[in-house]
Amino acid sequence: MTLIEMVQAQSARLEQAGVSFGHGTTNAFDEAAWLVLWALELPLNALDEHADRPLSELEQSDVESLVRRRIETRKPAAYLTREAWLQGVAFYVDERAIVPRSFIAELIADATLDAWLDPAARRALDLCTGNGSLAVLAALAWPQLQIDAADISEQALMVARINVDKHALDERITLLHSDLMSSVDGPYDLILCNPPYVDAGSMAALPAEYHAEPALALTGGVDGMDLIRRILLEAPAHMSEHAALVLEIGNEREHFERAFARLEPVWLETSAGVDQVLLLTREQLDRFVPA
């Protein structure tokens, strides 16, 4: 059996098992390619190069064993490989933090946020940092910034420490154990935040792969807005005059607009459309009065 034949066979196996995607891949073929290449210790971009390579019986067994674990445990592939990628950058991940998949990463990489960053900006905050991936991407994109990366989960911060060290950014990224902004020290010129925002109904309906992740990092209360209400109230006191808050809310735009009808954020376009990520300036937040 060749490598490409193995990918096709495992893709069919994943489809038949009814696993769910969304933690780095969106379909069975891409997920199978990831698992096959990882099991064979090949680069993830090496499929075409090695497509016709014959696999030994031992290699076939290794691949089949890994795919079996994916099906039986329903854990995201990233937890099995201990690696996830955002915008071409590799990150370590394990069950202590959710698998990184923020659309804010796109906005950093394509320079969308540059227009909102004061030329004099020197400090940024990655709130609810998880495994630290957005903090790392921000540090790589904006070398002039010192970045604080905060999370309430000490377990997640242990994972973030691995990634900060992995990318040799310990002198520019400071990890903070903080319940939202209770222990951060602004003012910040930019705040990035991908908080828990999944509403209760959606949480109950999520596939098993999402329930393999820490619930603390996903659950946003009945309407998904519990943490976001606090963030919008707390943020202005930690923002410089021309600062911006970039907030990811997933599929919760309807709940956001119902909860914060007086706010008129800028909705930022990503590969998922214009409903996933919003931006609010310090000026807008200063005028915000909760309903």
Side-chain angles (χ1 to χ4, degrees), residues 86-87 99-107 133-134 137 193-194 197 248 270 277:
L86 269 183
Q87 298 301 313
V99 178
R101 51 187 179 273
S102 175
F103 289 109
I104 294 174
E106 294 181 11
L107 302 172
S133 53
L134 288 183
L137 292 176
C193 186
N194 181 21
Y197 53 67
E248 185 159 340
T270 71
V277 182

Side-chain angles (χ1 to χ4, degrees), residues 267-286:
W267 293 93
L268 301 173
E269 186 170 2
T270 71
S271 60
V274 293
D275 298 325
Q276 302 277 326
V277 182
L278 61 92
L279 181 146
L280 290 160
T281 64
R282 161 74 186 271
E283 183 181 4
Q284 287 175 301
L285 288 169
D286 279 339

Side-chain angles (χ1 to χ4, degrees), residues 132-149:
S133 53
L134 288 183
V136 168
L137 292 176
L140 295 175
W142 300 303
Q144 75 275 26
L145 296 184
Q146 290 291 132
I147 298 168
D148 286 348

Side-chain angles (χ1 to χ4, degrees), residues 47-179:
L47 180 59
D48 291 341
E49 179 183 353
H50 295 277
D52 296 325
R53 170 186 154 181
L55 303 187
S56 69
E57 289 187 7
L58 178 59
E59 288 175 326
Q60 293 181 50
S61 176
D62 288 344
V63 168
E64 290 169 355
S65 175
L66 179 60
V67 173
R68 182 168 59 252
R69 287 177 60 205
R70 173 69 178 88
I71 292 169
E72 291 178 351
T73 67
R74 285 305 200 263
K75 288 183 178 181
Y79 284 162
L80 303 180
T81 66
R82 296 296 194 239
E83 188 171 60
W85 294 74
L86 269 183
Q87 298 301 313
V89 179
F91 295 98
Y92 174 85
V93 69
D94 63 33
E95 289 87 345
R96 294 174 291 180
I98 63 170
V99 178
R101 51 187 179 273
S102 175
F103 289 109
I104 294 174
E106 294 181 11
L107 302 172
I108 295 172
D110 68 12
T112 294
L113 298 182
D114 288 20
W116 297 92
L117 192 62
D118 190 320
R122 291 297 178 265
R123 299 188 66 207
L125 171 66
D126 176 21
L127 189 64
C128 306
T129 192
N131 84 329
S133 53
L134 288 183
V136 168
L137 292 176
L140 295 175
W142 300 303
Q144 75 275 26
L145 296 184
Q146 290 291 132
I147 298 168
D148 286 348
D151 205 289
I152 193 173
S153 168
E154 292 183 283
Q155 295 293 308
L157 288 171
M158 292 178 186
V159 179
R161 168 54 59 198
I162 294 171
N163 285 310
V164 170
D165 292 345
K166 174 185 178 72
H167 293 282
L169 289 167
D170 57 296
E171 292 187 359
R172 294 189 46 222
I173 298 177
T174 301
L175 300 177
L176 301 173
H177 181 229
S178 181
D179 180 2

